Amino acid sequence: MERSPNFTDDDPVLMCAWRLGRGVEHMRMQEMPALQSDEFAALERFWQGLASLVLTEADVREFLRLAKLIPDFPTANLRLAEQELDRLSQAG
């Protein structure tokens, strides 16, 4: 993923995407049935087609919205991703 030179390793946008990516990885490792869902396919199309190229706050918010639609997406990862976006909102 190409990222802005303004990102740091604790940037909320980057960390939110990382948390969601870890949730996807968990689903794959557990071979969860939701991997075959239309919602998961939509998330992957979005990520591969746009968001992974140049990550923006709007992209990561859409990534989170799509992840919330996936049945059985790891709730801990959703919660941590939301915390990163809360941190972003507080900083701005």
Side-chain angles (χ1 to χ4, degrees):
M1 167 176 59
E2 183 178 324
R3 60 182 174 143
S4 166
N6 298 326
F7 283 161
T8 62
D9 287 341
D10 69 342
D11 182 273
V13 170
L14 182 62
M15 292 306 297
C16 181
W18 184 79
R19 302 273 188 203
L20 295 172
R22 295 287 294 174
V24 168
E25 182 180 325
H26 171 80
M27 291 180 74
R28 286 193 173 118
M29 289 176 62
Q30 299 298 317
E31 298 180 2
M32 298 175 76
L35 291 171
Q36 306 305 318
S37 70
D38 292 339
E39 294 86 356
F40 190 84
L43 180 135
E44 280 202 316
R45 278 192 305 274
F46 172 75
W47 181 255
Q48 293 171 359
L50 175 67
S52 64
L53 300 176
V54 179
L55 188 62
T56 66
E57 180 182 344
D59 292 337
V60 82
R61 288 187 185 281
E62 179 65 4
F63 193 26
L64 176 60
R65 185 190 74 76
L66 291 169
K68 286 180 177 181
L69 297 175
I70 297 171
D72 300 322
F73 195 94
T75 56
N77 294 85
L78 292 174
R79 182 178 43 77
L80 291 169
E82 287 175 329
Q83 287 176 357
E84 294 297 343
L85 290 180
D86 288 345
R87 191 166 65 103
L88 181 64
S89 297
Q90 292 169 2

